[in-house]
Amino acid sequence: MELTIEDLKRILREAAGEDEGIDLDGDILDLTFEDLGYDSLALLETGSRIEREHGIELEDTTVSEVDTPRALLAVVNGQLAAEHAA
């Protein structure tokens, strides 16, 4: 099972809402989470939700070190693939 950009948008909205001036339905893959209005606390909550939904454990630094949705998807999907292969 893969985390898609649509999954991530839903989780971001559930975890921390959506800033008025930000359209998550646009092309957000390479925008920084800061530009999207999400701070480190919002990202930690997002990481927790991803862990629960996908049954994985992310390093605390993983979520705080990635700065774009594309980077987060790559890390999460890499871990999902590795755990599926194990």
Side-chain angles (χ1 to χ4, degrees), residues 2-3 8 10 12 15 19 22-23 26 34 38 42 55 64 78 80 82:
E2 184 177 83
L3 181 68
L8 180 56
R10 175 184 49 79
L12 284 167
D19 270 6
I22 305 297
D23 179 14
E34 185 178 337
Y38 295 103
S64 61
L80 286 170

Side-chain angles (χ1 to χ4, degrees), residues 1 3 7-17 38 40-58 60 63 72 76 80:
M1 183 176 194
L3 181 68
D7 293 332
L8 180 56
K9 288 176 185 179
R10 175 184 49 79
I11 292 168
L12 284 167
R13 285 182 177 117
E14 290 171 358
Y38 295 103
S40 57
L41 187 60
L43 292 176
L44 286 174
E45 176 61 24
T46 298
S48 294
R49 288 173 182 258
I50 291 169
E51 288 176 333
R52 285 194 301 272
E53 284 188 22
H54 292 275
I56 60 173
E57 192 170 319
L58 298 170
D60 286 343
V63 178
L72 181 57
V76 170
L80 286 170

Side-chain angles (χ1 to χ4, degrees), residues 23-38:
D23 179 14
L24 285 183
D25 293 321
D27 183 13
I28 65 163
L29 277 172
D30 296 311
L31 294 176
T32 66
F33 286 113
E34 185 178 337
D35 287 344
L36 293 170
Y38 295 103

Side-chain angles (χ1 to χ4, degrees), residues 8 42 66 68:
L8 180 56
V66 297
T68 65

Side-chain angles (χ1 to χ4, degrees), residues 56-85:
I56 60 173
E57 192 170 319
L58 298 170
E59 296 287 330
D60 286 343
T61 55
T62 297
V63 178
S64 61
E65 288 178 357
V66 297
D67 59 353
T68 65
R70 183 184 306 275
L72 181 57
L73 288 170
V75 169
V76 170
N77 288 326
Q79 188 163 341
L80 286 170
E83 292 197 12
H84 181 71

